[in-house]
Amino acid sequence: MNISSSKAAFSEAQELIPGGVNSPVRAFSSVGGTPIFVEKGEGGYLVDIDGNRYIDYVQSWGPLIFGHTDEAIENAVIAAVKKGLSFGAPTLAETELAKLVVGLIDSIDKIRFVSSGTEAVMSAIRLARGYTGRDDIIKFEGNYHGHSDSLLVQAGSGMITFGAPSSPGVPADFTKHTLLAKYNDIESVKKCFKDSDDIACIIIEPIAGNMGLVPADKDFLAELRKLCDENGTLLIFDEVMSGFRATLRGAESIVGTKPDIITMGKVIGGGMPVGAFGARQEIMAQLSPEGPVYQAGTLSGNPVAMAAGLAAITKLKDKSILYGILEKRALRLLEGMKKAAEKNGFSLQTNVRGSMFGFFFNDKPVKNFEHACNSDAERFAAFHRGMLEEGCYFACSLYETGFISTATTDEMIEKTVTAAEKVMANI
Ligand code: KE4
């Protein structure tokens, strides 16, 4: 592929924007090579500024379940834009989208819209702390919940479960209330409850997409629910990525465990900046202006973003069969990639949940972050570069998740499998 314009664009961007990107993962740091600069999206394709076309398996990290330039979403946005971009006042669109989402997810009675997943999670944690009157929270190694300070933690020293900051600029004081546990390991969670009797909430990605795709075991989630009930702790499902990507009615509809609070994002905005968090009435009643827990946002519930989200969720609500169709395509893709890997003497661990898929160059199953870190990162990087050369745009980190959209046709899947057979023979 000739990507000379992207190379020049990346050099120029790096003069003005840290790392040349507005979100770190986009810089291709872990896979090498130059990030392609996108000119446009077209259905299931991305087109770069050199005119190269790629089958898009990133879809803006999840939002675009209908692919690029979906007509219904486009028309809804254009109609909304013509009435004004933002009012800072309530609009009917917010109530309509709230009605739609609350109607689809059993465990929530009310919802608050914000402008990103980070904001949704940050607000949900504050709500949990305000509702319980407690300060400590439990999160899991390998789960990512956006970049709010108390969630940028890594394992502390020794056996203590309290986290240490994972980024400079986060004071240790801001993470001293965050305990870390191991995904799919209930004993590590029980230890946290031994180390603190002040736990406001457990936050988990029930279908983790930020250590690669690693779904939580059903009985593990059931155990979490039990621990929360025994300790008066709230359970938060962070579904910013998995919401409306794995199923139509929330992870609870497939794992059988209900959370107390759900955070959402990505698909709920149809490609525009929307995050949200929801819970039953008695919890949401604590939120300002009804209750004392403060939370606010200039562009929260922005009418143009609401129009995009409304168009997307309206299209989804009558089509729960869609998830089975997209899952089949994901399984076909991974089966082809797995066969190609095995033909070349190495293993691929794969996971699929609805339109989400993940794969690890690893000969053992991946059930937590430690396992994911034992995957072959070099081989992943070589695979990513090779597939890009073949016109297939995969997530540029082994700790991310891939996505199938309604615009990802069977022909595209077959083309990708053929490309994988060629690339796997050379990595
Ligand atoms: P945003 O603030 O990026 O909208 O959402 C944060 C977030 C919260 N919770 C989960 C489960 C998430 O996956 C995310 C964001 N996901 C990443 C992809 N791994 C966004 C991509 C990026 O950081 O550029």
Side-chain angles (χ1 to χ4, degrees):
M1 293 273 188
N2 164 28
I3 58 165
S4 53
S5 306
S6 283
K7 284 186 174 150
F10 190 42
S11 303
E12 184 189 22
Q14 286 173 299
E15 296 302 311
L16 296 157
I17 302 168
V21 291
N22 285 305
S23 199
V25 70
R26 304 177 192 172
F28 276 27
S29 317
S30 69
V31 292
T34 302
I36 62 154
F37 274 58
V38 176
E39 171 68 23
K40 61 180 177 178
E42 260 172 3
Y45 291 99
L46 280 179
V47 181
D48 72 16
I49 57 174
D50 288 287
N52 304 305
R53 272 158 70 87
Y54 306 84
I55 300 169
D56 182 9
Y57 290 105
V58 177
Q59 296 157 30
S60 183
W61 304 101
L64 307 176
I65 194 164
F66 295 107
H68 300 277
T69 57
D70 173 81
E71 201 179 344
I73 296 174
E74 223 169 59
N75 291 341
V77 167
I78 292 166
V81 163
K82 289 189 181 313
K83 296 197 292 182
L85 294 174
S86 182
F87 311 116
T91 62
L92 291 175
E94 294 155 83
T95 310
E96 278 170 54
L97 186 53
K99 202 183 299 174
L100 204 44
V101 176
V102 168
L104 285 168
I105 300 176
D106 291 349
S107 60
I108 66 173
D109 300 328
K110 288 194 173 178
I111 191 169
R112 169 63 59 87
F113 294 111
V114 294
S115 300
S116 72
T118 294
E119 229 188 316
V121 170
M122 180 179 74
S123 309
I125 298 268
R126 184 180 311 131
L127 178 60
R129 285 171 161 156
Y131 177 79
T132 59
R134 299 179 184 173
D135 293 340
D136 293 347
I137 64 175
I138 296 174
K139 78 171 288 288
F140 293 90
E141 287 165 0
N143 278 197
Y144 174 69
H145 303 292
H147 63 94
S148 59
D149 285 338
S150 62
L151 290 162
L152 289 181
V153 296
Q154 61 196 350
S157 54
M159 284 305 288
I160 60 154
T161 51
F162 284 87
S166 62
S167 164
V170 177
D173 273 0
F174 283 32
T175 58
K176 69 182 183 186
H177 292 293
T178 307
L179 290 88
L180 270 176
K182 193 177 263 190
Y183 202 74
N184 281 324
D185 173 344
I186 199 62
E187 290 311 315
S188 71
V189 185
K190 288 177 179 170
K191 175 148 183 12
C192 292
F193 279 98
K194 287 204 180 69
D195 292 349
S196 163
D197 57 5
D198 190 38
I199 297 175
C201 64
I202 296 177
I203 183 164
I204 187 166
E205 290 182 65
I207 301 168
N210 288 288
M211 51 174 144
L213 182 63
V214 183
D217 295 337
K218 281 187 181 179
D219 52 13
F220 172 68
L221 292 170
E223 289 280 326
L224 287 186
R225 178 72 270 168
K226 193 159 154 280
L227 275 173
C228 285
D229 294 343
E230 287 164 358
N231 291 280
T233 295
L234 295 186
L235 181 57
I236 301 178
F237 276 2
D238 179 355
E239 292 222 69
V240 166
M241 184 191 290
S242 58
F244 304 107
R245 267 290 182 179
T247 84
L248 182 61
R249 308 188 72 97
E252 64 194 59
S253 66
I254 48 175
V255 301
T257 294
K258 282 190 188 312
D260 298 299
I261 300 176
I262 297 180
T263 55
M264 289 166 269
K266 298 181 194 267
V267 172
I268 199 173
M272 296 291 283
V274 178
F277 57 105
R280 59 182 183 274
Q281 161 57 17
E282 60 160 341
I283 296 175
M284 296 301 274
Q286 291 299 310
L287 205 58
S288 172
E290 212 174 304
V293 178
Y294 194 68
Q295 187 276 329
T298 303
L299 294 174
S300 296
N302 172 273
V304 179
M306 290 293 106
L310 208 47
I313 308 298
T314 302
K315 280 182 74 151
L316 282 171
K317 78 173 173 59
D318 305 326
K319 291 198 190 70
S320 55
I321 50 149
L322 195 65
Y323 292 95
I325 296 166
L326 299 182
E327 181 156 291
K328 279 202 183 71
R329 286 185 202 158
L331 287 166
R332 171 65 195 108
L333 172 64
L334 290 179
E335 175 207 327
M337 286 167 57
K338 208 174 168 76
K339 280 206 181 95
E342 284 158 4
K343 205 167 113 190
N344 289 281
F346 42 88
S347 313
L348 217 53
Q349 302 297 324
T350 61
N351 282 315
V352 174
R353 279 295 180 283
S355 65
M356 304 167 78
F357 67 87
F359 56 96
F360 298 93
F361 287 97
N362 199 323
D363 52 12
K364 297 188 192 67
V366 176
K367 303 292 287 179
N368 60 42
F369 187 52
E370 191 185 338
H371 296 165
C373 293
N374 290 335
S375 305
D376 188 333
E378 282 313 306
R379 183 160 270 157
F380 176 88
F383 176 77
H384 180 271
R385 287 194 298 272
M387 292 303 277
L388 203 57
E389 199 55 37
E390 295 297 319
C392 302
Y393 189 79
F394 278 79
C396 50
S397 161
L398 80 89
Y399 301 113
E400 294 290 351
T401 290
F403 301 97
I404 302 287
S405 80
T406 55
T408 315
T409 63
D410 292 332
E411 293 71 29
M412 290 174 180
I413 300 279
E414 292 317 313
K415 179 180 182 307
T416 309
V417 169
T418 306
E421 285 160 355
K422 179 178 171 189
V423 171
M424 293 282 194
N426 296 305
I427 58 172

